[in-house]
Amino acid sequence: MSYVLGIDGGASKTVCILMDDLCQVLGRGEAGPSNYQGIGIEATLQSIQSAIQNAVKAAIITSTLNIDAICLGLAGVGRAADIEVVKSLVEELQNNKLLPITWALKPANIVICNDALIALVGGIGQPVGIVVAAGTGSIVFGRNNQGHTKRVGGWGYILGDEGSAYKIAIAGMNAALKSDDGREKSTSLIEGFKQHLDLESIEDLIELIYRRGWGVKKIAALAPIVDFAAASGDIVANIIIDDAVKELVKATSTVIDAIFSSNSILEVVTTGSVWRGRCKIHERFAASLGKKFPEVRVIFPRYEPAYGAGLLALQTTQN
C-alpha cells in the first residue's frame, strides 16, 4: 500500500490530505497559512508540519506510515527560485523526527507547483481542463492532454484580477460615487453600501478606504453588496457583473485557444467566492462561454485542491 500527502498552502490556511493508492482519503488536517513570501520560511514550515500531523492524527492509524510521494501546491509558487525554497522545506520535513511518519521519497515523487494546478486537478478530478478562480483575486489556468499549460491573469489587484471580488467591489463603490455625483444612473448601490457599512453618507467611503487604509481582502469582502443589488434587478450593478463575466470569458477563451482546439470536449471548473453569488454569475458565465465553445462544460469543484495535490502525488508512484 502506497501513502501520499497532498498539501494545499495559501495565505489563510494550509490543508493536508493523507491518501492511499486507492485514492481514499485516510485523514485531513488543517493549520495556519503557508505563503512563505508573506510569513517567512520558518512559519511556513511550521504550518505544513502541523497540517501533516493533524492529517495523520485524523487517520487513526497506529502503525508508522511510510510516505512514498508528496505534492505541495502553494500560492505564489511558479518561479525556479520559489521551487528551490520549497524543496528545502521538504528536506526539513524529512529531517523532522517528531512527525509520526517515515519517508521514502525520491526526487521524482516530490511535486511542487502553484495552487492553480491543484485547484484544477481537485476540481475536475484529473489533470486536464481549465480552472477559473475568482475570489479576492482571479486567474485562469489550463492543462491539456499533452501536459501543456497556459495561465491567464493572476497579476494582482493593481495590474489585473479582472472579474475578481476586489474588482467587483471597487467598480461598485465607483459607480455609487458617480451616481451620487450625478455622472451615473441612479443605483441602489448607494443605499447598499451605506447600510452595510453604517455610513451617514456615501462620501464616508473616503474615510474607510483611504484614511483607515482598508486592504485588498477587506475591500473584496464588499463584493456581495454588488451581487445583492444585481440580483435585485439594479441596472448599474448588473452592468458591473456583466463586465466581470466578459473578462472571465475572455480569459478562459484565451486559454482554450492557446492549448485546446475550438471543438474540444473539456470541463471548466469554477472556484472562489464570486461564483457563489445570488445574481447567477455562474449561469451567465456558462451561457456566454457556451456560445463560443458549445462542447465546453462549466462545473463546480468535485473535490478540494488538497485532494488534487494528493492525486498528483499518487500519479508519480504509478509511472
Side-chain angles (χ1 to χ4, degrees), residues 141-191:
F141 178 84
R143 186 177 187 275
N144 64 18
N145 281 303
Q146 292 74 43
H148 300 142
T149 62
K150 175 65 177 177
R151 158 191 159 161
V152 173
W155 303 119
Y157 72 101
I158 293 177
L159 301 177
D161 282 350
E162 296 84 1
S164 68
Y166 176 82
K167 284 299 172 73
I168 289 172
I170 288 291
M173 288 187 285
N174 183 258
L177 291 168
K178 283 184 175 180
S179 179
D180 188 61
D181 281 345
R183 290 184 287 158
E184 181 62 88
K185 296 177 182 178
S186 176
T187 173
S188 63
L189 287 171
I190 294 177
E191 286 304 313

Side-chain angles (χ1 to χ4, degrees), residues 2-310:
S2 293
Y3 296 101
V4 303
L5 295 173
I7 309 255
D8 170 24
S12 59
K13 66 178 180 179
T14 302
V15 179
C16 174
I17 291 290
L18 171 65
M19 184 186 293
D20 64 18
D21 54 12
L22 298 177
C23 297
Q24 297 179 111
V25 176
L26 305 178
R28 182 183 186 279
E30 290 191 15
S34 54
N35 185 336
Y36 83 89
Q37 294 168 341
I39 64 173
I41 295 175
E42 287 304 316
T44 296
L45 177 61
Q46 183 59 49
S47 292
I48 293 174
Q49 287 177 164
S50 297
I52 293 173
Q53 286 176 322
N54 293 335
V56 173
K57 189 183 298 183
I60 317 178
I61 297 175
T62 54
S63 58
T64 300
L65 289 169
N66 200 48
I67 302 299
D68 296 298
I70 185 171
C71 172
L72 301 98
L74 306 180
V77 171
R79 300 173 303 164
D82 297 320
I83 292 174
E84 289 303 315
V85 169
V86 180
K87 282 182 179 179
S88 70
L89 291 179
V90 176
E91 291 179 8
E92 291 287 338
L93 287 174
Q94 294 178 83
N95 293 329
N96 187 337
K97 305 303 180 184
L98 297 177
L99 291 174
I101 55 181
T102 58
W103 300 91
L105 298 179
K106 299 176 182 177
N109 301 125
I110 300 171
V111 181
I112 299 168
C113 60
N114 61 51
D115 53 349
L117 178 57
I118 63 171
L120 165 63
V121 179
I124 295 178
Q126 62 169 340
V128 176
I130 297 172
V131 58
V132 183
T136 300
S138 67
I139 187 172
V140 181
F141 178 84
R143 186 177 187 275
N144 64 18
N145 281 303
Q146 292 74 43
H148 300 142
T149 62
K150 175 65 177 177
R151 158 191 159 161
V152 173
W155 303 119
Y157 72 101
I158 293 177
L159 301 177
D161 282 350
E162 296 84 1
S164 68
Y166 176 82
K167 284 299 172 73
I168 289 172
I170 288 291
M173 288 187 285
N174 183 258
L177 291 168
K178 283 184 175 180
S179 179
D180 188 61
D181 281 345
R183 290 184 287 158
E184 181 62 88
K185 296 177 182 178
S186 176
T187 173
S188 63
L189 287 171
I190 294 177
E191 286 304 313
F193 283 112
K194 284 172 61 178
Q195 289 180 17
H196 182 82
L197 298 170
D198 195 23
L199 306 176
E200 290 188 10
S201 166
I202 194 64
E203 294 177 6
D204 292 337
L205 279 174
I206 301 299
E207 168 72 21
L208 290 178
I209 304 303
Y210 292 114
R211 295 173 190 166
R212 297 189 192 180
W214 273 31
V216 175
K217 287 186 178 181
K218 210 165 184 179
I219 291 174
L222 300 178
I225 297 171
V226 183
D227 168 65
F228 180 80
S232 301
D234 186 273
I235 294 174
V236 174
N238 272 292
I239 290 173
I240 293 170
I241 296 300
D242 285 339
D243 286 344
V245 169
K246 288 176 185 176
E247 290 290 350
L248 293 169
V249 168
K250 185 175 182 180
T252 307
S253 300
T254 301
V255 172
I256 293 174
D257 291 338
I259 60 173
F260 297 98
S261 61
S262 59
N263 59 348
S264 292
I265 299 175
L266 70 137
E267 291 183 318
V268 172
V269 60
T270 52
T271 68
S273 60
V274 167
W275 303 111
R276 298 193 292 269
R278 304 181 186 185
C279 69
K280 298 184 177 180
I281 188 171
H282 193 266
E283 290 88 338
R284 298 188 200 193
F285 172 79
S288 181
L289 189 66
K291 289 179 182 179
K292 298 185 69 175
F293 306 101
E295 302 300 324
V296 170
R297 183 182 174 209
V298 180
I299 65 170
F300 282 109
R302 293 192 174 95
Y303 308 101
E304 66 177 317
Y307 186 83

